Structures are given as structure tokens and as C-alpha cells.
Amino acid sequence: MIGQGEGARRELDPRLEAARYQLRGVKRIFVVLSNKGGVGKSTIALMLALAFREEGESVGLLDADLSNPTLHTFFTRSLEGFREELGVVPPEVVAGIRLSSPVLFTRGESIPSIGRGPLDAVLELLAVSNWADSSVLVVDTPPGLREEHVLLLRVLEGAAPGSRRTAVAVTTPSLVAVTNTLSGVRYLASFARGFRFIIVLNKVVEETVLREALHAECVMRVPRDPLLDEGSPTVDTVLRSSAFRALLEQVRASPSCLG
Amino acid sequence: MHESVLALGVVRELEKALRGLPGVGRVKILVGELQRLDQEVFRGYLDEFLREAGLYIEYELVVERAVLRCLSCGNGWTLEDIGLPEDVRELVHFFPEALYAYVSCPSCGSRLLEVSTGRGLRVVVEG
């Protein structure tokens, strides 16, 4: 319960229980995060969604980056309009993948990430998005280590107690990025006990990362792919990329790695 | 329309909050104007879910007027003052934070604003 005790007066927030209801059918949840921007976090979130779809899952994608949502830019389908049923049924952006995003409601305008706004917005998105037919949920988050990340991990622990939950920390191989990412993981893992943490090493050119720095239970490696560095990649570009094929192979080779 | 899901959320929170308590005090359900729930529909679901949960309580449903405040010039205003188009009201109903995408201060034009009251749904249990 998210509420405040105040003597004999208590205030309750029904959105957590609403979110719990919306997530009741979701078996696996992946929260994709990175302490550092520009490491390809959203692309990895999309690749994971596509990989799980290849494995026969029905996938939900949630863009929790309120001020700079970008997941929708991979798809050609417009996010204008949605079906109402016990909230909002996120539109199917490609076969087998539904996307919920602030863009559904803001028509592309940015909303500020200040004050209580982001916390309310994350809770509201979770409470309003109907994932009844999704077995896997992949959540893309803003870069950095912010209140939204803390809230998301805590809310998802409470709202989806029956699901297997994984935090996917994305980094590039640079020492700075790896160091920052591991620092963030250590912080989040200190309280988000209901999550397992894995590392995705993105844009790998060669094996340059200090192996000893990566103590995570599971480390996936995604090669740099020039296709994804050109302009704004679409879902078709991602599907054609060697980076996606490499990720898909690892998903298939180590199913235990991804819950 | 997500009145049913929110009503379910209210009842489940009440179940947790009231579990083991000898008596039930006052329950006030505050519905923010921005959320614009259909009160009749919402009340219908609430009553149904309360009955199913075996919670025989009385509650008061109160609509909180939405008041916005400009953080640049301090101006305050209501939704009536600006008249949001119906399609925008519908989007804000589902996701109140969407308001920040559509509204600016009628006095100075700044979009740096806050919703002082009447944002969403809250439940207050007293006594």
C-alpha cells in the first residue's frame, strides 16, 4: 500500500492495486535501465521484446521515459487512438507486441519530469494499461538513476508478485559506462530484492571490458552494428541487424539468463 | 473507461487497510476533476466490489475541483477558466499528467505549472 499514516487518518492510493490487476497475466517482467544515456537502452528494450516474440510470447512494451519517450519511433503505426477496455488496451504496434507510452495521451508533446509528476505518471500508466493478453512485459526507463526507477522497481515488486522480475542494466564497453552502470546496479539491488539483475553489454566491437568488473549472474553481449547507428532505426532495421540476431541467439542459448 | 479497475483498486486497498480493525470509521473517496470518472458507473462498481469483498461500509464520494497554479507567475485557475477540448479531456481522464502537454498559464503562457488539487483518485480513512 502506498499511503500515509497520520494518526487515525490514512490516505490510500488505489493505483497500486489497479496495477496489480492489470499485470495479473504477466509472467515475466524486464525493466531496462542504464545509468548513462546513449548506450542503446531503448534499442535493447525493443530487441528483447522482439526476441521474446520470436519465442512465441505475447509481449507488452511500456515506455516509462516520460519526458523523452522514444520507443514509438521504431514503429510506423501511429499511436493515435486506442481501444478502451478496463483501461486502455495498448495498440499492437507490430504483430505480437503492444506498446503503452505517454505518447498515447500527449500526442508527442513532452511532459516535464519534475515534482511528483513522474511518480504519478508511472503509477497512472501502470494502472491504466491493460496487459491482459501479454505474457511478458518489457519496460524502458529514462537514463540515469532517478525516482522513477526506484518507484518502478518497488511498485512492480508489489504489483506483480507472481511474476519473475529482471532488471536489465545496459552499458557500452567503455570503462566509464561500465563503472557507472555497476554502481547503479549495486544501489538498486540493495533494496529491489525481488529483482534479479543482468547486464547487457551493448555496441561491443571486441572483448575489451574487464571481465572481473562484471560479476553479474548473467552478461549478454550485443555487437556494434552500423545499421543501428544510421539515422532513426525502425523495427525492420532492428530485425535485420546482426545485433538482434546475436541477442536472439543468447536468449535462446541461455533461457535461464532471462528468467 | 477504467472506472471498474479503479473501483477494484479502491476496494482492495480498503480491504488491506481495514483488515483486523474493530470498526470502520469514515471513508471518503476523493475523485479529482482531472480524472473525470463517471460517478454513477464508478459508484456502481464500488458497491458491487464492496459487496463481493464483504465490506459493508458507508462512504462519501467527493469530487475535488481541479485547480492549477503557474509556477512562473503564481496565477491560479480552474478547468472552467480555460475550457479544454473534449478530446483532450478524454486523454487527461486516462492519464492526468497529459495535461502538461496541452495547458499553459492563461496569464503568462508558461507551461511550468502544477496541479494544486483535483488531480486523481484518493481514499481517506478516518477514525
Side-chain angles (χ1 to χ4, degrees):
Chain A
M1 174 175 65
I2 294 178
Q4 290 178 341
E6 202 177 284
R9 182 182 192 274
R10 272 194 290 177
E11 190 166 319
L12 315 174
D13 186 334
R15 291 174 295 180
L16 181 58
E17 285 296 335
R20 187 194 289 261
Y21 180 77
Q22 300 288 29
L23 292 166
R24 66 197 181 284
V26 176
K27 304 286 186 295
R28 290 188 287 170
I29 294 177
F30 298 87
V31 178
V32 182
L33 42 87
S34 174
N35 237 13
K36 195 172 179 308
V39 296
K41 182 173 41 56
S42 298
T43 309
I44 293 295
L46 173 63
M47 284 185 190
L48 284 171
L50 292 167
F52 293 128
R53 183 186 70 154
E54 294 287 316
E55 295 299 281
E57 304 282 1
S58 51
V59 184
L61 259 175
L62 172 64
D63 198 333
D65 190 342
L66 306 167
S67 50
N68 189 30
T70 51
L71 276 178
H72 64 286
T73 63
F74 288 103
F75 305 98
T76 51
R77 187 197 188 289
S78 162
L79 282 194
E80 293 245 342
F82 45 76
R83 184 158 60 91
E84 296 178 35
E85 186 183 319
L86 296 173
V88 169
V89 178
E92 194 168 45
V93 281
V94 289
I97 298 181
R98 295 190 179 279
L99 172 64
S100 184
S101 162
V103 174
L104 279 173
F105 311 98
T106 63
R107 296 174 179 160
E109 283 295 313
S110 288
I111 53 176
S113 191
I114 56 174
R116 258 208 69 86
L119 305 184
D120 276 328
V122 166
L123 271 173
E124 211 67 49
L125 274 179
L126 288 170
V128 78
S129 303
N130 179 347
W131 301 112
D133 64 357
S134 297
S135 53
V136 172
L137 179 66
V138 179
V139 184
D140 189 22
T141 66
L145 191 57
R146 302 157 35 159
E147 275 185 296
E148 293 101 298
H149 299 95
V150 173
L151 178 88
L152 258 173
L153 296 187
R154 297 191 70 177
V155 165
L156 287 174
E157 278 185 327
S163 65
R164 284 170 289 171
R165 297 172 297 272
T166 305
V168 181
V170 182
T171 179
T172 53
S174 85
L175 190 57
V176 172
V178 170
T179 304
N180 283 349
T181 298
L182 293 179
S183 166
V185 165
R186 279 194 299 275
Y187 173 72
L188 294 170
S190 72
F191 59 85
R193 303 282 167 80
F195 275 81
R196 63 202 294 266
F197 285 76
I198 70 168
I199 307 282
V200 170
L201 199 55
N202 192 25
K203 304 184 183 183
V204 175
V205 177
E206 54 188 44
E207 191 65 38
T208 51
V209 172
L210 307 171
R211 277 185 176 276
E212 63 272 21
L214 295 168
H215 291 304
E217 193 180 337
C218 176
V219 179
M220 304 181 89
R221 288 170 170 77
V222 178
R224 175 179 287 279
D225 189 327
L227 256 185
L228 302 179
D229 288 337
E230 293 165 9
S232 304
T234 65
V235 67
D236 291 329
T237 320
V238 172
L239 280 168
R240 287 201 316 271
S241 69
S242 57
F244 173 64
R245 286 195 299 277
L247 183 92
L248 180 60
E249 276 174 27
Q250 290 169 81
V251 168
R252 286 175 170 162
S254 343
S256 62
C257 203
L258 293 169
Chain B
M1 185 178 288
H2 59 324
E3 278 81 357
S4 58
V5 177
L6 290 174
L8 186 71
V10 169
V11 173
R12 289 192 173 167
E13 282 295 343
L14 282 171
E15 277 184 286
K16 288 192 291 184
L18 302 178
R19 193 176 297 148
L21 293 182
V24 179
R26 283 182 65 203
V27 174
K28 192 186 278 188
I29 299 171
L30 302 156
V31 180
E33 189 186 1
L34 287 186
Q35 196 106 56
R36 205 174 65 154
L37 297 180
D38 181 319
Q39 284 186 63
E40 198 177 325
V41 172
F42 183 59
R43 198 183 279 275
Y45 281 119
L46 266 179
D47 293 342
E48 180 186 335
F49 296 145
L50 284 169
R51 201 167 45 247
E52 284 174 6
L55 280 177
Y56 300 99
I57 60 171
E58 291 188 4
Y59 62 85
E60 185 185 0
L61 198 64
V62 181
V63 175
E64 272 190 321
R65 193 174 197 206
V67 176
L68 289 83
R69 192 169 70 88
C70 176
L71 297 176
S72 295
C73 72
N75 181 38
W77 70 97
T78 66
L79 291 186
E80 284 170 14
D81 296 332
I82 52 173
L84 281 180
E86 182 55 29
D87 57 336
V88 172
R89 291 291 304 268
E90 184 69 3
L91 295 171
V92 172
H93 154 70
F94 283 110
F95 185 63
E97 276 58 44
L99 188 80
Y100 295 106
Y102 301 105
V103 173
S104 53
C105 172
S107 174
C108 75
S110 167
R111 287 175 59 193
L112 182 59
L113 42 100
E114 69 172 12
V115 180
S116 300
T117 62
R119 187 207 152 279
L121 183 62
R122 297 183 296 138
V123 181
V124 177
V125 180
E126 290 172 331

